[in-house]
């Protein structure tokens, strides 16, 4: 639960330091006072029971400022929300491990949000604070951080109205500068509300490209990317030429989305191995096992490396260490967390061997299935890789192209599994064939489930199934 109050800790603009305010908090207040010197005590939504006292809300506070915008830049008046709690506010290990002043403070960022002020509105709506708490819960629970260009599939109007603004992109706040606190560096990531069509374009191309287009359309965000929950048209309806820019970008650049959390599963259709009773053999179809900690970290590193589109794609070795930053492509849906709570190892990693499979059956729900053409066209045809990580279990499926180094799937053995992690290597010829056969996935509203696609000569089968199939205990 949260309460609304005026900030008692903001101090006055003339005081460079307030000894009663924790140093991390003071540093962020200082950046806010730089922008809003006339608002030293903004309204705040504050957690009644702090997270470090057992409360459910990770953010201690969300401050709400009234911004006059910039008439010369056609930026309208709006409410500016700033979070406090993803960074280390206290430096005493009550929430975040203190790692010194030279690195990142806590997760290294705070969230902001700019909401267009409606005519006659005298106080800021408080629903954005709960939205920010929801994103913060995901970060704390999964330890996956966000970065500029990420997208969040929310699948619901952000303010619980009938709005078309149902998803989010993230970018650097246009005004707030990174601050160095005694506990490390803090940057500010701004939430930008977008329509479903804009989210799909960001997935198929990249988030930064769509953000740049939004900046060129005043009613869809403008230079400061103000979210207008009453916006009834997408940028492609407002300016049809923008779709051409997206299509050209996809063709030229491909997609920088290297993976998603999804409802997915896979079965080994090969003949059972002779030593099927050997504890080192893992048969997903009959006895699902959990990903080891090292496998989980490798998948995270795989996804993170997907962002490095200017370097040759490389899958890190199985023994790869935990990266400093978590994957920046995968984001949660409104109801599902990316990371399975049972992702800790229950099988000693060294006892799980990599197995070559002769035939596999891949299963996806409709939403995940509609991303397969993106995976093939936007990733594999550009020499990259794409990973589906199950949100209902510990299964992972990674598609790799022949240009990806470090994969345990090879052209000689294109299907390979390490525990519940399956890798599938697809040649360019097969990708082109699959894109033709999967063309109806581009019109999901016309798809009748279940739907099966098969390439017998490749011993590969893909099924698109209802969500309910993945909610059963077998998956």
């Amino acid at each position: 639960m949260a309460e609304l109050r005026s900030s008692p800790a903001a101090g006055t603009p003339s005081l460079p330091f307030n000894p009663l305010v924790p140093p991390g908090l003071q540093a962020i207040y200082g950046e806010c006072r730089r922008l809003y010197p006339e608002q030293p005590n903004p309204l705040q939504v504050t957690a009644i029971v702090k997270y470090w006292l057992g409360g459910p809300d990770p953010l201690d506070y969300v401050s709400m400022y009234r911004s006059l915008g910039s008439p010369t830049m056609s930026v309208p008046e709006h409410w500016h929300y700033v979070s406090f709690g993803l960074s280390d506010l206290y430096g005493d290990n009550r929430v975040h491990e203190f790692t010194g002043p030279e690195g990142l403070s806590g997760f290294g960022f705070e969230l902001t949000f700019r909401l267009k002020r409606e005519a006659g509105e005298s106080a800021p709506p408080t629903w954005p604070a709960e939205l920010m708490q929801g994103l913060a819960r995901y970060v704390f629970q999964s330890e996956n951080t966000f970065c500029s260009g990420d997208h969040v599939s929310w699948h619901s109007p952000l303010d619980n109205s009938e709005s078309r603004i149902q998803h989010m992109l993230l970018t650097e706040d246009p005004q707030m500068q990174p601050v160095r606190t005694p506990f490390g560096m803090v940057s500010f990531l701004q939430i930008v509300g977008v329509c479903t069509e804009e989210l799909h374009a960001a997935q198929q191309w990249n988030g930064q490209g769509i953000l740049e287009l939004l900046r060129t359309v005043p009613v869809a965000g403008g230079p400061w990317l103000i979210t207008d929950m009453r916006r009834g048209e997408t940028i492609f309806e407002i300016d049809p030429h923008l779709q051409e820019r997206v299509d050209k970008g996809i063709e030229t650049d491909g997609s920088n989305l290297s993976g998603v959390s999804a409802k997915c599963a896979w079965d080994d259709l090969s003949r059972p191995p002779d030593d099927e009773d050997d504890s080192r053999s893992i048969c997903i179809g009959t006895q699902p096992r959990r990903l080891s900690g090292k496998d989980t970290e490798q998948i995270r590193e795989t996804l993170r490396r997907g962002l490095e589109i200017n370097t040759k794609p490389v899958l890190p070795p199985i023994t790869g260490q935990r990266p400093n930053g978590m994957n920046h492509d995968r984001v949660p849906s409104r109801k599902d967390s990316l990371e399975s709570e049972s992702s800790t190892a229950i099988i000693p990693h060294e006892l799980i061997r990599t197995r070559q499979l002769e035939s596999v059956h891949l299963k996806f729900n409709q939403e995940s299935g509609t991303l397969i053409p993106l995976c093939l066209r936007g990733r594999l045809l550009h020499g990259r890789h794409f990973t589906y990580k199950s949100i209902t279990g510990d299964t992972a499926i990674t598609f790799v192209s022949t240009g990806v180094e470090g994969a345990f799937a090879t052209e000689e053995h294109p299907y390979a599994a390490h525990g519940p992690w399956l890798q599938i290597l697809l040649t360019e010829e097969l990708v082109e064939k699959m894109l033709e056969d999967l063309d109806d996935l581009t019109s999901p509203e016309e798809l009748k489930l279940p739907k099966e696609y098969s390439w017998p000569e490749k011993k590969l089968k893909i099924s698109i199934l209802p969500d309910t199939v993945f909610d059963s205990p077998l998956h």
Side-chain angles (χ1 to χ4, degrees):
M1 298 181 63
E3 64 179 355
L4 182 66
R5 68 176 190 181
S6 293
S7 168
T12 63
S14 60
L15 289 177
F17 178 74
N18 186 337
L20 300 180
V21 181
L25 197 63
Q26 179 75 14
I28 301 174
Y29 276 139
E31 177 61 13
C32 294
R33 286 196 297 271
R34 182 183 67 82
L35 294 181
Y36 304 105
E38 77 288 355
Q39 300 179 56
N41 296 290
L43 285 176
Q44 281 188 331
V45 173
T46 180
I48 295 177
V49 180
K50 297 294 186 286
Y51 190 73
W52 36 275
L53 293 175
D57 299 323
L59 301 177
D60 279 17
Y61 313 102
V62 175
S63 287
M64 302 177 287
Y65 297 88
R66 179 171 175 173
S67 173
L68 298 180
S70 174
T72 59
M73 298 176 63
S74 299
V75 176
E77 285 193 33
H78 59 277
W79 304 109
H80 191 191
Y81 300 76
V82 181
S83 78
F84 297 80
L86 284 161
S87 64
D88 190 352
L89 305 179
Y90 306 99
D92 57 6
N93 296 309
R94 72 178 70 179
V95 177
H96 301 281
E97 180 183 357
F98 175 63
T99 57
E102 300 304 318
L104 297 178
S105 172
F107 289 108
F109 69 96
E110 293 289 354
L111 294 169
T112 74
F113 183 62
R114 295 175 184 267
L115 177 67
K116 183 180 178 182
R117 177 177 171 268
E118 301 295 340
E121 205 169 45
S122 59
T126 58
W127 62 262
E130 180 52 38
L131 185 75
M132 296 166 92
Q133 288 283 14
L135 293 178
R137 290 186 201 105
Y138 163 73
V139 172
F140 272 80
Q141 290 167 10
S142 69
E143 296 187 344
N144 289 327
T145 58
F146 293 125
C147 71
S148 181
D150 282 353
H151 71 270
V152 177
S153 305
W154 199 250
H155 300 290
S156 179
L158 303 188
D159 61 352
N160 294 316
S161 67
E162 299 300 318
S163 174
R164 291 186 70 177
I165 308 301
Q166 301 188 8
H167 309 281
M168 292 166 271
L169 299 179
L170 290 128
T171 188
E172 296 92 350
D173 189 286
Q175 287 187 298
M176 301 192 73
Q177 301 298 316
V179 296
R180 182 166 294 282
T181 79
F183 316 132
M185 185 64 72
V186 181
S187 59
F188 298 91
L189 283 180
Q190 180 175 316
I191 300 164
V192 182
V194 295
C195 303
T196 299
E197 294 83 353
E198 294 154 358
L199 171 80
H200 289 167
Q203 292 175 327
Q204 293 165 12
W205 183 23
N206 62 72
Q208 294 290 7
I210 299 305
L211 287 163
E212 289 304 314
L213 296 185
L214 289 167
R215 288 186 177 98
T216 68
V217 183
V219 297
W224 290 7
L225 294 169
I226 312 299
T227 297
D228 181 0
M229 295 303 297
R230 295 192 179 186
R231 174 161 67 97
E233 294 181 302
T234 71
I235 56 174
F236 309 115
E237 293 167 335
I238 296 170
D239 184 354
H241 293 96
L242 296 182
Q243 185 62 58
E244 298 175 10
R245 292 178 60 180
V246 173
D247 294 339
K248 184 177 180 180
I250 295 172
E251 180 181 353
T252 303
D253 306 327
S255 171
N256 75 345
L257 178 67
S258 64
V260 292
S261 59
K263 291 187 176 180
C264 62
W266 63 271
D267 287 327
D268 177 6
L269 300 183
S270 311
R271 186 176 62 183
D274 294 336
D275 56 346
E276 61 181 348
D277 293 329
D278 189 328
S279 63
R280 294 173 296 176
S281 297
I282 311 300
C283 186
I284 299 302
T286 58
Q287 192 177 12
R289 301 295 184 96
R290 298 176 183 175
L291 285 171
S292 74
K294 289 186 178 180
D295 282 341
T296 298
E297 298 310 331
Q298 186 191 355
I299 292 172
R300 285 175 173 168
E301 177 71 3
T302 296
L303 297 175
R304 187 185 68 81
R305 295 228 181 167
L307 291 175
E308 301 171 3
I309 60 177
N310 295 321
T311 62
K312 189 170 185 179
V314 177
L315 283 170
I318 286 291
T319 56
Q321 297 299 310
R322 179 189 185 102
N324 291 329
M326 295 304 167
N327 120 70
H328 294 149
D329 282 316
R330 302 179 300 169
V331 288
S333 70
R334 180 170 177 263
K335 296 182 179 179
D336 297 311
S337 170
L338 164 73
E339 201 63 34
S340 168
E341 293 180 356
S342 60
S343 61
T344 54
I346 62 170
I347 309 170
H349 182 273
E350 62 275 8
L351 295 183
I352 304 178
R353 66 185 180 187
T354 299
R355 298 179 298 120
Q356 283 77 43
L357 313 181
E358 294 181 5
S359 179
V360 294
H361 182 192
L362 311 181
K363 304 173 184 179
F364 301 93
N365 73 333
Q366 182 169 331
E367 182 177 4
S368 304
T370 58
L371 291 177
I372 297 177
L374 157 67
C375 159
L376 300 178
R377 181 178 292 109
R379 296 294 297 180
L380 269 67
L381 286 183
H382 290 264
R384 301 172 192 160
H385 48 79
F386 190 92
T387 294
Y388 287 94
K389 170 68 172 66
S390 174
I391 57 176
T392 58
D394 290 298
T395 299
I397 302 170
T398 296
F399 292 91
V400 298
S401 69
T402 53
V404 176
E405 296 182 348
F408 45 79
T410 64
E411 291 190 60
E412 183 180 2
H413 299 288
Y415 313 135
H418 191 85
W421 184 10
L422 174 69
Q423 288 186 10
I424 298 179
L425 187 145
L426 302 178
T427 64
E428 184 174 338
E429 179 182 5
L430 179 54
V431 168
E432 296 284 6
K433 171 63 175 171
M434 292 175 67
L435 281 170
E436 292 180 12
D437 297 340
L438 297 169
D439 182 65
D440 56 351
L441 287 179
T442 59
S443 302
E445 64 279 356
E446 301 174 6
L447 204 63
K448 294 184 179 180
L449 303 183
K451 178 75 173 182
E452 184 173 294
Y453 306 88
S454 181
W455 298 269
E457 70 283 3
K458 299 297 182 181
K459 299 182 179 179
L460 174 63
K461 184 165 61 174
I462 294 178
S463 293
I464 311 300
L465 304 170
D467 281 6
T468 52
V469 172
F470 298 89
D471 296 330
S472 68
L474 293 179
H475 293 283

